[in-house]
Amino acid sequence: IRIQDAEAHRGQRVKVFGWVHRQRVQGRDMMFVVLRDGTGFLQCVLTDRLCHTRDALALTAETTVCVYGVISAVPEGKSAPGGHELAADYWEVVGRAPGGDDAISNRVSEGADPSILLQQRHLVIRGEKAAAVLKVRAHVMRAFRAHFDAAGYFEVTPPCMVQTQVEGGSTLFEFDYYGEPAYLTQSSQLYLETCLPSMGAVYTLAESYRAEKSHTRRHLSEYTHCEAEIPFISFEDLLDGIEHMVKDVVARVWAEPETRAMIKQLNPEFEPPTEPFVRMRYEDAIVWLNEHGVNHEDGSPYVFGEDIPEAPERAMTDAIGKPILLTHFPGPIKAFYMPATKEDPRVTESVDLLMPGVGEIVGGSMRIWDHDELVAAYAREGLDTAPYYWYLDQRKYGSCPHGGFGLGVERFLAWLLNRFSVRECCLYPRFVDRCQP
């Protein structure tokens, strides 16, 4: 059986495979071995001759074993994972793990240098916390898909090899594509927009790549990007949709007892957001920073038109202590495809969702949908329109008001699980100087 099914087999003799997660010897004739099989943990009790064998005396953590015996509820006053244990009547080693200097406890430990833990990430993920993060991640990905499916979106899978840019040329990973320059995608947004006339609202959960030489705790060179594009909406519709998505995804994983338990294990103080998100314009954020003495390193105040760096943005978000939909950024500091507002052409219909403890987890905007306006935007950025012919055609053959957003799944998880770095929220993080294992 799988360990997660153990409760249904209480009182029965079963066969279980697993890895030795931890063990404890009690006297000469009893040994407690906790097994792990990816679905849960099970305490096995070995007695008498079963714990006198050479295999028992030399048993090491991470050894794989097969154990036979009867599963029973633990005696009153005792505790074990799942509230039961397996009284073994036979067991055997399947695959041995080394002890001594090469034991897993000597390869990885909680207090080890972060660079060592990253190099040994394949072993780190066997730990309870790292495994819980990855399991919650799987459930969160499922919840995002369930959210979009319930809302009538179609999932699409755009290409990751492209010849266009979305977020500026300085963060492109370039490679040779059969003699032509090409790039790893920064975002699937442009391709999602092409699907609107045929599929309506669409989304993707795919990898995006940014060649940012940044060592901050919220940046990765490869990350999972949840992106969506929606036709015939207003800017207010977009803001409402982002807020609803975050709340709905959290509600879905919170409703699963197993997932909820892992979230509480990793982030005991977490409670799903219920109040409306704070809505703040960029210019009001500049005022907030000035009023609260959050300035540049040289002491000068932030002024309208400047990009707000990560540190002051996070300071403001943490001080307010609530999710913030920060809107209406100046055009020069945002992407070329974001339209100016009618009431104030200095600013765009753009939004970042800021979360306490993490900062930005979503970036979105309405998209320029007028053909000539988009051509003018290309000219301002100095971009050749030729590689974007197919994107311009969306404005030529029946355009419409539309908008969309991108959410960094690792940042979402860092907020949900109170992880210090997004590097903890993916399987094998990729960032500057790190492309192993």
Side-chain angles (χ1 to χ4, degrees):
I1 66 167
R2 295 185 299 177
I3 289 175
Q4 69 178 11
D5 301 323
E7 186 172 355
H9 291 81
R10 287 185 181 180
Q12 302 174 26
R13 186 174 187 266
V14 299
K15 173 185 178 182
V16 179
F17 289 98
W19 286 261
V20 174
H21 189 65
R22 58 179 177 266
Q23 57 185 307
R24 175 171 59 89
V25 175
Q26 185 169 308
R28 294 184 57 190
D29 299 320
M30 184 173 288
M31 176 186 290
F32 295 91
V33 179
V34 175
L35 295 188
R36 179 190 77 242
D37 73 349
T39 72
F41 298 88
L42 177 64
Q43 178 170 283
C44 301
V45 184
L46 279 58
T47 57
D48 300 327
R49 289 183 302 170
L50 294 181
C51 54
H52 296 162
T53 66
R54 177 179 294 181
D55 284 340
L57 295 174
L59 190 62
T60 54
E62 298 306 317
T63 291
T64 46
V65 297
C66 175
V67 185
Y68 296 79
V70 176
I71 295 179
S72 304
V74 293
E76 189 174 345
K78 304 291 185 179
S79 64
H84 45 241
E85 61 188 10
L86 185 149
D89 56 48
Y90 176 79
W91 73 283
E92 60 187 4
V93 170
V94 176
R96 301 182 192 281
D101 292 342
D102 209 23
I104 191 168
S105 57
N106 290 325
R107 294 280 297 276
V108 293
S109 60
E110 205 163 299
D113 184 273
S115 63
I116 293 175
L117 295 178
L118 286 165
Q119 191 68 16
Q120 304 298 328
R121 177 74 175 164
H122 59 294
L123 299 177
V124 169
I125 61 175
R126 299 183 180 209
E128 291 183 39
K129 287 184 179 180
V133 171
L134 294 177
K135 289 176 182 178
V136 172
R137 177 189 169 100
H139 293 172
V140 163
M141 298 276 280
R142 184 175 64 196
F144 273 113
R145 286 191 165 94
H147 165 81
F148 287 116
D149 184 59
Y153 288 61
F154 285 99
E155 182 174 8
V156 295
T157 50
C160 67
M161 296 183 290
V162 302
Q163 292 187 308
T164 54
Q165 68 181 55
V166 181
E167 299 296 334
S170 63
T171 63
L172 286 168
F173 278 109
E174 185 172 352
F175 64 96
D176 181 88
Y177 188 76
Y178 303 110
E180 295 183 4
Y183 317 102
L184 295 178
T185 184
Q186 298 169 311
S187 166
S188 297
Q189 174 204 320
L190 306 189
Y191 292 99
L192 293 180
E193 289 186 56
T194 68
C195 297
L196 298 181
S198 57
M199 304 176 76
V202 290
Y203 78 98
T204 188
L205 274 165
E207 304 310 295
S208 288
Y209 305 86
R210 303 282 172 91
E212 288 186 277
K213 294 182 178 179
S214 173
H215 285 280
T216 74
R217 57 182 175 145
R218 70 176 193 175
H219 283 96
L220 292 167
S221 296
E222 177 187 53
Y223 66 98
T224 303
H225 212 173
C226 176
E227 299 183 87
E229 291 292 323
I230 314 97
F232 301 108
I233 61 168
S234 68
F235 187 50
E236 286 301 315
D237 293 333
L238 179 66
L239 300 183
D240 291 342
I242 292 171
E243 179 170 345
H244 173 61
M245 175 192 67
V246 170
K247 288 180 174 178
D248 185 49
V249 169
V250 171
R252 288 174 185 273
V253 295
W254 196 250
E256 300 173 355
E258 178 190 355
T259 314
R260 183 173 184 168
M262 288 188 288
I263 294 171
K264 295 297 282 185
Q265 169 196 342
L266 296 162
N267 186 5
E269 304 301 317
F270 182 81
E271 292 293 336
T274 55
E275 296 182 9
F277 290 179
V278 174
R279 300 196 179 189
M280 176 186 287
R281 296 173 70 100
Y282 161 88
E283 60 186 319
D284 295 325
I286 294 293
V287 171
W288 190 98
L289 294 174
N290 292 337
E291 288 180 347
H292 290 81
V294 181
N295 300 319
H296 289 285
E297 290 184 1
D298 63 5
S300 61
Y302 288 97
V303 297
F304 185 92
E306 290 184 290
D307 194 10
I308 302 175
E310 176 186 351
E313 178 185 84
R314 181 175 289 175
M316 179 184 73
T317 308
D318 290 351
I320 293 173
K322 298 178 181 179
I324 301 171
L325 287 162
L326 189 61
T327 66
H328 299 92
F329 292 85
I333 65 173
K334 300 304 279 185
F336 69 89
Y337 50 76
M338 298 185 181
T341 64
K342 292 180 180 178
E343 65 272 14
D344 185 353
R346 299 178 307 159
V347 300
T348 56
E349 290 184 313
S350 53
V351 57
D352 286 352
L353 174 58
L354 312 179
M355 287 299 195
V358 179
E360 179 195 344
I361 68 167
V362 177
S365 77
M366 298 300 288
R367 316 308 192 190
I368 293 175
W369 61 284
D370 178 80
H371 181 277
D372 294 341
E373 187 180 343
L374 184 58
V375 170
Y378 281 121
R380 283 197 306 273
E381 294 293 319
L383 293 173
D384 179 9
T385 59
Y388 297 87
Y389 72 94
W390 50 273
Y391 187 62
L392 284 167
D393 274 353
Q394 304 309 306
R395 278 73 180 164
K396 183 177 180 180
Y397 293 93
S399 191
C400 74
H402 62 284
F405 58 85
L407 173 144
V409 171
E410 289 80 8
R411 291 188 184 184
F412 179 90
L413 287 163
W415 163 70
L416 178 68
L417 303 178
N418 192 29
R419 299 296 90 190
F420 177 76
S421 170
V422 293
R423 298 173 186 177
E424 300 175 61
C425 300
C426 55
L427 183 58
Y428 292 109
R430 298 291 184 251
F431 54 94
V432 182
D433 300 327
R434 170 61 58 185
C435 200
Q436 285 186 331

Coordinates of all heavy atoms in Angstrom, one line a residue, residues 342-400:
K342 N -6.9 58.3 -20.1 CA -7.5 59.4 -20.8 C -7.4 60.7 -19.9 O -7.2 61.8 -20.4 CB -8.9 59.1 -21.2 CG -9.0 58.0 -22.3 CD -10.5 57.8 -22.6 CE -10.6 56.7 -23.7 NZ -12.0 56.4 -24.0
E343 N -7.6 60.5 -18.6 CA -7.6 61.6 -17.7 C -6.2 62.2 -17.4 O -6.1 63.4 -17.1 CB -8.3 61.3 -16.4 CG -7.7 60.2 -15.6 CD -8.0 58.8 -15.9 OE1 -8.6 58.6 -17.0 OE2 -7.8 57.9 -15.1
D344 N -5.2 61.4 -17.5 CA -3.8 61.9 -17.3 C -2.8 61.1 -18.1 O -2.4 60.0 -17.8 CB -3.5 61.6 -15.8 CG -2.1 62.2 -15.4 OD1 -1.4 62.7 -16.3 OD2 -1.8 62.2 -14.2
P345 N -2.5 61.7 -19.3 CA -1.6 60.9 -20.2 C -0.2 60.7 -19.7 O 0.6 59.9 -20.3 CB -1.5 61.9 -21.4 CG -1.9 63.2 -20.9 CD -2.8 63.0 -19.8
R346 N 0.2 61.2 -18.5 CA 1.5 60.9 -17.9 C 1.5 59.5 -17.4 O 2.6 58.9 -17.3 CB 1.8 61.8 -16.8 CG 1.8 63.3 -17.1 CD 2.1 64.1 -15.8 NE 1.1 63.7 -14.8 CZ 1.3 63.9 -13.4 NH1 2.5 64.4 -13.0 NH2 0.4 63.6 -12.6
V347 N 0.4 58.9 -17.1 CA 0.4 57.6 -16.4 C -0.4 56.6 -17.3 O -1.2 56.9 -18.2 CB -0.3 57.7 -15.0 CG1 0.5 58.6 -14.1 CG2 -1.7 58.1 -15.1
T348 N -0.2 55.3 -17.0 CA -0.7 54.2 -17.7 C -1.7 53.4 -16.9 O -1.8 53.5 -15.7 CB 0.4 53.2 -18.2 OG1 1.1 52.8 -17.0 CG2 1.4 53.9 -19.1
E349 N -2.5 52.6 -17.7 CA -3.5 51.7 -17.0 C -2.7 50.4 -16.7 O -2.8 49.4 -17.3 CB -4.7 51.4 -17.9 CG -5.6 52.6 -18.1 CD -6.8 52.3 -19.0 OE1 -6.6 51.7 -20.0 OE2 -7.9 52.7 -18.5
S350 N -1.9 50.6 -15.6 CA -1.0 49.5 -15.2 C -1.2 49.2 -13.7 O -1.6 50.1 -12.9 CB 0.4 49.9 -15.5 OG 0.7 51.2 -14.9
V351 N -0.7 48.0 -13.3 CA -0.9 47.6 -11.9 C 0.2 46.6 -11.5 O 0.6 45.8 -12.3 CB -2.3 47.0 -11.7 CG1 -2.6 45.8 -12.6 CG2 -2.5 46.6 -10.2
D352 N 0.6 46.7 -10.3 CA 1.4 45.7 -9.6 C 0.7 45.3 -8.3 O 0.2 46.2 -7.6 CB 2.8 46.2 -9.2 CG 3.8 46.4 -10.4 OD1 3.4 45.9 -11.5 OD2 4.8 47.0 -10.2
L353 N 0.6 44.0 -8.1 CA 0.1 43.5 -6.8 C 1.2 43.3 -5.8 O 2.1 42.5 -6.1 CB -0.7 42.3 -7.0 CG -1.3 41.6 -5.7 CD1 -2.1 42.6 -4.9 CD2 -2.0 40.3 -6.0
L354 N 1.2 44.0 -4.7 CA 2.3 43.9 -3.7 C 1.8 43.2 -2.5 O 0.7 43.4 -2.0 CB 2.7 45.3 -3.3 CG 3.0 46.3 -4.4 CD1 3.4 47.7 -3.8 CD2 4.1 45.8 -5.4
M355 N 2.6 42.2 -2.0 CA 2.2 41.4 -0.9 C 3.2 41.6 0.3 O 4.4 41.7 0.0 CB 2.2 39.9 -1.2 CG 1.0 39.5 -2.1 SD -0.6 39.9 -1.2 CE -1.7 38.9 -2.2
P356 N 2.7 41.8 1.5 CA 3.6 41.9 2.7 C 4.6 40.8 2.7 O 4.3 39.6 2.5 CB 2.7 41.9 3.9 CG 1.3 42.3 3.3 CD 1.3 41.8 1.9
G357 N 5.9 41.1 3.0 CA 6.9 40.2 3.1 C 7.6 39.8 1.8 O 8.7 39.2 1.9
V358 N 7.0 40.1 0.7 CA 7.5 39.6 -0.6 C 7.7 40.8 -1.5 O 8.7 41.0 -2.2 CB 6.6 38.6 -1.2 CG1 7.2 38.1 -2.6 CG2 6.5 37.3 -0.3
G359 N 6.6 41.7 -1.6 CA 6.6 42.7 -2.6 C 5.8 42.3 -3.8 O 4.8 41.6 -3.7
E360 N 6.2 42.7 -5.0 CA 5.4 42.5 -6.2 C 5.3 41.0 -6.5 O 6.3 40.3 -6.6 CB 6.1 43.2 -7.4 CG 5.3 43.0 -8.7 CD 6.2 43.4 -9.9 OE1 7.2 44.1 -9.7 OE2 5.8 42.9 -11.0
I361 N 4.1 40.5 -6.7 CA 3.9 39.1 -7.2 C 3.1 39.1 -8.5 O 3.1 38.1 -9.2 CB 3.2 38.2 -6.1 CG1 1.7 38.7 -5.9 CG2 3.9 38.2 -4.8 CD1 0.9 37.6 -5.2
V362 N 2.5 40.2 -8.8 CA 1.7 40.3 -10.1 C 2.0 41.6 -10.8 O 2.1 42.7 -10.1 CB 0.2 40.2 -9.9 CG1 -0.6 40.4 -11.2 CG2 -0.2 38.9 -9.2
G363 N 2.2 41.6 -12.1 CA 2.3 42.8 -12.9 C 1.3 42.7 -14.0 O 1.1 41.6 -14.7
G364 N 0.5 43.8 -14.3 CA -0.5 43.7 -15.3 C -0.9 45.1 -15.9 O -0.4 46.1 -15.3
S365 N -1.7 45.1 -16.9 CA -2.1 46.3 -17.5 C -3.1 46.1 -18.6 O -3.3 44.9 -19.0 CB -0.9 47.0 -18.2 OG -0.6 46.4 -19.4
M366 N -3.8 47.1 -19.0 CA -4.5 47.1 -20.2 C -3.4 47.1 -21.3 O -2.3 47.5 -21.1 CB -5.5 48.3 -20.3 CG -6.5 48.3 -19.3 SD -7.6 46.8 -19.3 CE -8.6 47.1 -20.8
R367 N -3.8 46.7 -22.5 CA -2.9 46.7 -23.6 C -3.3 47.8 -24.7 O -4.5 48.0 -24.9 CB -2.8 45.4 -24.3 CG -2.8 44.2 -23.4 CD -1.7 44.2 -22.3 NE -1.6 42.9 -21.6 CZ -0.8 42.7 -20.6 NH1 -0.2 43.7 -20.0 NH2 -0.7 41.5 -20.0
I368 N -2.3 48.4 -25.3 CA -2.7 49.4 -26.4 C -3.4 48.6 -27.5 O -2.8 47.6 -28.0 CB -1.4 50.0 -27.0 CG1 -0.8 50.9 -25.9 CG2 -1.7 50.8 -28.2 CD1 0.6 51.5 -26.3
W369 N -4.6 49.0 -27.9 CA -5.3 48.2 -28.9 C -5.5 49.0 -30.2 O -6.1 48.4 -31.1 CB -6.6 47.7 -28.3 CG -7.6 48.7 -27.8 CD1 -7.6 49.4 -26.7 CD2 -8.8 49.1 -28.5 NE1 -8.7 50.2 -26.6 CE2 -9.5 50.0 -27.7 CE3 -9.4 48.7 -29.7 CZ2 -10.7 50.6 -28.0 CZ3 -10.7 49.2 -30.0 CH2 -11.3 50.2 -29.2
D370 N -5.1 50.2 -30.2 CA -5.1 51.0 -31.5 C -3.8 50.7 -32.3 O -2.7 50.8 -31.7 CB -5.3 52.5 -31.2 CG -5.3 53.3 -32.4 OD1 -6.4 53.3 -33.1 OD2 -4.3 53.9 -32.7
H371 N -4.0 50.4 -33.5 CA -2.8 50.1 -34.4 C -1.8 51.2 -34.5 O -0.6 51.0 -34.2 CB -3.3 49.7 -35.8 CG -2.2 49.3 -36.7 ND1 -1.5 50.2 -37.4 CD2 -1.8 48.1 -37.1 CE1 -0.6 49.6 -38.2 NE2 -0.7 48.3 -38.0
D372 N -2.3 52.4 -34.8 CA -1.3 53.5 -35.0 C -0.6 53.9 -33.6 O 0.5 54.2 -33.6 CB -2.0 54.7 -35.6 CG -2.5 54.4 -37.0 OD1 -2.0 53.5 -37.6 OD2 -3.4 55.2 -37.4
E373 N -1.4 53.8 -32.6 CA -0.8 54.1 -31.2 C 0.3 53.1 -30.9 O 1.3 53.5 -30.3 CB -1.9 54.1 -30.2 CG -1.5 54.6 -28.8 CD -2.6 54.5 -27.8 OE1 -3.8 54.5 -28.2 OE2 -2.3 54.6 -26.6
L374 N 0.1 51.8 -31.2 CA 1.1 50.8 -31.0 C 2.3 51.0 -31.8 O 3.4 50.9 -31.3 CB 0.5 49.4 -31.2 CG 1.4 48.2 -30.8 CD1 1.8 48.3 -29.4 CD2 0.7 46.9 -31.1
V375 N 2.1 51.4 -33.1 CA 3.3 51.7 -34.0 C 4.1 52.8 -33.4 O 5.3 52.8 -33.4 CB 2.8 52.0 -35.4 CG1 4.0 52.5 -36.2 CG2 2.2 50.7 -36.1
A376 N 3.4 53.8 -32.9 CA 4.1 55.0 -32.3 C 4.9 54.5 -31.0 O 6.0 55.0 -30.7 CB 3.1 56.1 -31.9
A377 N 4.3 53.6 -30.3 CA 5.0 53.1 -29.1 C 6.3 52.4 -29.5 O 7.3 52.5 -28.8 CB 4.1 52.2 -28.3
Y378 N 6.2 51.6 -30.5 CA 7.4 50.9 -31.0 C 8.5 51.9 -31.4 O 9.7 51.8 -31.1 CB 7.1 50.1 -32.3 CG 6.5 48.7 -32.0 CD1 5.2 48.4 -32.5 CD2 7.2 47.8 -31.2 CE1 4.7 47.2 -32.2 CE2 6.6 46.5 -30.9 CZ 5.3 46.2 -31.4 OH 4.8 45.0 -31.1
A379 N 8.1 53.0 -32.1 CA 9.0 54.0 -32.5 C 9.7 54.7 -31.3 O 10.9 55.0 -31.3 CB 8.3 55.1 -33.3
R380 N 8.9 55.0 -30.2 CA 9.5 55.6 -29.0 C 10.5 54.7 -28.4 O 11.5 55.2 -27.8 CB 8.4 55.9 -28.0 CG 7.5 57.1 -28.3 CD 6.7 57.5 -27.1 NE 5.9 56.4 -26.5 CZ 4.7 56.1 -26.9 NH1 4.1 56.8 -27.8 NH2 4.0 55.1 -26.3
E381 N 10.3 53.4 -28.5 CA 11.2 52.4 -27.9 C 12.4 52.1 -28.8 O 13.3 51.4 -28.4 CB 10.5 51.1 -27.5 CG 9.5 51.3 -26.4 CD 10.1 51.6 -25.0 OE1 11.2 51.1 -24.7 OE2 9.6 52.5 -24.3
G382 N 12.3 52.6 -30.0 CA 13.4 52.2 -31.0 C 13.3 50.8 -31.5 O 14.4 50.2 -31.8
L383 N 12.2 50.2 -31.4 CA 12.0 48.8 -31.8 C 11.6 48.7 -33.3 O 10.7 49.4 -33.8 CB 10.9 48.1 -31.0 CG 11.3 47.9 -29.5 CD1 10.0 47.4 -28.7 CD2 12.4 47.0 -29.3
D384 N 12.2 47.7 -34.0 CA 11.8 47.4 -35.4 C 10.5 46.7 -35.3 O 10.3 45.6 -34.6 CB 12.9 46.5 -36.0 CG 12.6 46.2 -37.4 OD1 11.6 46.7 -38.0 OD2 13.3 45.3 -38.0
T385 N 9.5 47.1 -36.1 CA 8.2 46.5 -36.1 C 8.1 45.2 -36.9 O 7.2 44.4 -36.7 CB 7.1 47.5 -36.6 OG1 7.4 47.8 -37.9 CG2 7.0 48.7 -35.8
A386 N 9.1 45.0 -37.7 CA 9.1 43.8 -38.6 C 8.9 42.5 -37.8 O 8.0 41.6 -38.2 CB 10.3 43.7 -39.5
P387 N 9.7 42.2 -36.8 CA 9.5 40.9 -36.1 C 8.1 40.8 -35.3 O 7.7 39.7 -34.9 CB 10.6 40.9 -35.0 CG 11.6 41.9 -35.5 CD 10.8 42.9 -36.2
Y388 N 7.4 41.9 -35.2 CA 6.2 42.0 -34.5 C 5.0 42.1 -35.4 O 3.9 42.4 -35.0 CB 6.1 43.2 -33.5 CG 7.2 43.2 -32.4 CD1 8.5 43.7 -32.7 CD2 6.9 42.6 -31.2 CE1 9.4 43.7 -31.7 CE2 7.9 42.6 -30.2 CZ 9.1 43.1 -30.4 OH 10.1 43.1 -29.4
Y389 N 5.2 41.7 -36.7 CA 4.1 41.9 -37.7 C 2.8 41.2 -37.2 O 1.7 41.7 -37.4 CB 4.5 41.4 -39.0 CG 4.6 39.9 -39.1 CD1 3.5 39.1 -39.6 CD2 5.8 39.2 -38.7 CE1 3.6 37.7 -39.6 CE2 5.9 37.8 -38.8 CZ 4.8 37.1 -39.2 OH 4.9 35.7 -39.2
W390 N 3.0 40.0 -36.6 CA 1.8 39.2 -36.2 C 1.1 39.8 -35.0 O -0.1 39.6 -34.8 CB 2.3 37.8 -35.9 CG 3.5 37.7 -34.9 CD1 4.8 37.8 -35.3 CD2 3.4 37.7 -33.5 NE1 5.6 37.7 -34.1 CE2 4.8 37.7 -33.0 CE3 2.4 37.6 -32.6 CZ2 5.1 37.6 -31.7 CZ3 2.7 37.5 -31.2 CH2 4.1 37.5 -30.8
Y391 N 1.9 40.5 -34.2 CA 1.3 41.2 -33.0 C 0.5 42.5 -33.5 O -0.6 42.7 -33.0 CB 2.4 41.6 -32.0 CG 1.9 42.2 -30.7 CD1 1.1 41.4 -29.8 CD2 2.2 43.4 -30.3 CE1 0.7 41.9 -28.6 CE2 1.8 44.0 -29.1 CZ 1.0 43.2 -28.3 OH 0.6 43.7 -27.1
L392 N 1.1 43.2 -34.5 CA 0.4 44.3 -35.0 C -0.9 43.9 -35.7 O -1.9 44.7 -35.7 CB 1.3 45.1 -35.9 CG 2.4 46.0 -35.3 CD1 3.4 46.4 -36.3 CD2 1.7 47.2 -34.6
D393 N -0.9 42.7 -36.3 CA -2.1 42.3 -37.0 C -3.3 42.1 -36.1 O -4.4 42.1 -36.5 CB -1.8 40.9 -37.7 CG -1.2 41.1 -39.1 OD1 -1.1 42.3 -39.6 OD2 -0.8 40.1 -39.7
Q394 N -3.0 41.9 -34.8 CA -4.1 41.8 -33.8 C -4.9 43.1 -33.8 O -6.1 43.1 -33.5 CB -3.6 41.4 -32.5 CG -2.8 40.1 -32.4 CD -3.5 39.0 -33.1 OE1 -4.7 38.7 -32.7 NE2 -2.9 38.3 -34.0
R395 N -4.2 44.2 -34.1 CA -4.9 45.5 -34.0 C -5.4 45.9 -35.4 O -6.2 46.8 -35.5 CB -3.8 46.6 -33.7 CG -3.6 46.7 -32.2 CD -2.8 45.6 -31.6 NE -2.6 45.7 -30.2 CZ -2.2 44.7 -29.4 NH1 -2.0 43.5 -29.9 NH2 -2.1 44.9 -28.1
K396 N -5.1 45.1 -36.4 CA -5.5 45.4 -37.8 C -6.8 44.6 -38.1 O -7.7 45.2 -38.8 CB -4.4 45.0 -38.8 CG -4.7 45.2 -40.2 CD -3.5 44.8 -41.1 CE -3.7 45.1 -42.5 NZ -2.5 44.6 -43.4
Y397 N -6.9 43.4 -37.6 CA -8.1 42.6 -38.0 C -9.0 42.4 -36.8 O -9.1 41.4 -36.1 CB -7.6 41.2 -38.4 CG -6.8 41.2 -39.7 CD1 -5.4 41.3 -39.7 CD2 -7.5 41.1 -40.9 CE1 -4.7 41.3 -40.9 CE2 -6.8 41.2 -42.1 CZ -5.4 41.3 -42.1 OH -4.7 41.3 -43.3
G398 N -9.7 43.5 -36.5 CA -10.7 43.5 -35.4 C -10.2 43.6 -34.0 O -10.2 42.6 -33.3
S399 N -9.7 44.8 -33.7 CA -9.1 45.0 -32.4 C -10.2 45.2 -31.3 O -11.4 45.4 -31.6 CB -8.2 46.2 -32.4 OG -7.4 46.2 -31.2
C400 N -9.8 45.1 -30.0 CA -10.8 45.3 -28.9 C -10.0 45.7 -27.7 O -8.8 45.4 -27.5 CB -11.6 44.1 -28.7 SG -10.7 42.8 -27.8

